[in-house]
Every structure is written in structure tokens, then in C-alpha cells.
Amino acid sequence: MNTVSQVPSIADGTTANGSSLSDEIVREGARRMLAAALEAEVGAYVAELADG
């Protein structure tokens, strides 16, 4: 899952929805971090259930 999403931008550095490109990059990074944390949490929970 190591892909880089392309966020379309216009000439003034904003995206189509009006936020800055850097804001979109930060949001995408936060989404990835949350997804990874959730996957780890679920994995630990499932492993704990399997051992019990």
C-alpha cells in the first residue's frame, strides 16, 4: 500500500475543493496513519482472541 495519491491542484496552489495542497497532503498522511493504527489494533485484538 505504498502508493502516492495525486491531488489535483490549480495554478494558485489550491485543490479543486479550495484547500491548499499542503493541507491535502497532511490530511492524506493522517488518514494513512489512522488506518495503520486501526489495522494494528484490530490485529492485536484478533490475536488476543485466538490465544484465549
Side-chain angles (χ1 to χ4, degrees), residues 4-51:
V4 176
S5 12
Q6 297 293 323
V7 179
S9 62
I10 52 180
D12 66 356
T14 59
T15 61
N17 66 3
S19 61
S20 72
L21 184 56
S22 61
D23 286 344
E24 291 296 323
I25 292 169
V26 169
R27 283 190 188 102
E28 180 63 26
R31 284 184 196 105
R32 289 180 185 194
M33 288 172 55
L34 286 169
L38 183 58
E39 284 182 33
E41 194 72 25
V42 168
Y45 179 75
V46 169
E48 185 178 319
L49 286 176
D51 290 340

